[in-house]
Amino acid sequence: MLDKKLLAILACPLCKSSLYYDKEKLELVCYADSLAYPIVDGIPVMLDSEARALAPEEKANHKRN
């Protein structure tokens, strides 16, 4: 679990938009850039080279919610 204060100040390093915390996958997700940044040992890895691209279904599911 990430600290709520840390989550409040983190932003996407590419576009500076808000990130969404996915507790199940342990990722911080930027829907604007379709990237998911991993959280390793409780530390967000905010490098675009380490991020995974979201599948189209993942982005579509977010728009429905």
Side-chain angles (χ1 to χ4, degrees), residues 17-60:
S17 67
S18 298
L19 296 168
Y20 298 88
Y21 179 43
D22 186 332
K23 293 178 186 179
E24 293 176 10
K25 294 181 182 177
L26 290 177
E27 295 176 325
L28 293 173
V29 180
C30 174
Y31 288 103
D33 289 327
S34 298
L35 293 173
Y37 297 94
I39 300 171
V40 180
D41 295 328
I43 300 168
V45 181
M46 304 301 292
L47 302 170
D48 59 333
S49 62
E50 295 294 319
R52 74 171 179 86
L54 294 180
E57 310 85 53
E58 291 177 288
K59 193 167 183 177

Side-chain angles (χ1 to χ4, degrees), residues 1 5-6 12-13 18 28 38 45 55:
M1 176 81 181
K5 290 180 184 177
L6 178 62
C12 176
S18 298
L28 293 173
V45 181

